[in-house]
Amino acid sequence: MKTVQISLNSIDKVKSFVNAITQFDYDFDLISGRYVIDAKSIMGIFSLDLSKPIDLAIHVESDLDEIMEALQPYLVAV
């Protein structure tokens, strides 16, 4: 599992993010405080506070480079 921080501060970003990760057969969880939701759920994402960066847990053993490439527009620079 790998965890990265992402920013989804607009409706368009949320839609394109969900479209980007649904192409992968792995599980993705968004973690905000004590809430953990399925990152492929648009309704779940909108239940979170999107004004701050959110942790994305990627449950994957392989294809990590390809996933990170797809997530590039949403990653928060550390």
Side-chain angles (χ1 to χ4, degrees):
M1 182 175 89
K2 179 170 177 67
T3 303
V4 294
Q5 277 206 324
I6 61 168
S7 175
L8 299 173
N9 53 8
S10 74
I11 293 170
D12 290 334
K13 246 184 163 176
V14 170
K15 286 195 278 186
S16 64
F17 168 76
V18 172
N19 286 337
I21 66 166
T22 52
Q23 67 184 328
F24 300 103
D25 288 334
Y26 304 108
D27 289 329
F28 297 83
D29 292 323
L30 287 173
I31 305 160
S32 180
R34 61 189 183 109
Y35 298 104
V36 178
I37 60 117
D38 182 356
K40 294 181 181 180
S41 165
I42 287 181
M43 293 302 287
I45 293 172
F46 284 122
S47 71
L48 300 175
D49 178 6
L50 300 177
S51 65
K52 296 181 253 180
I54 304 167
D55 289 333
L56 174 67
I58 307 165
H59 303 278
V60 64
E61 301 301 322
S62 60
D63 297 333
L64 191 58
D65 291 339
E66 188 179 347
I67 292 170
M68 293 306 290
E69 184 71 29
L71 292 175
Q72 199 61 42
Y74 316 102
L75 296 175
V76 175
V78 178

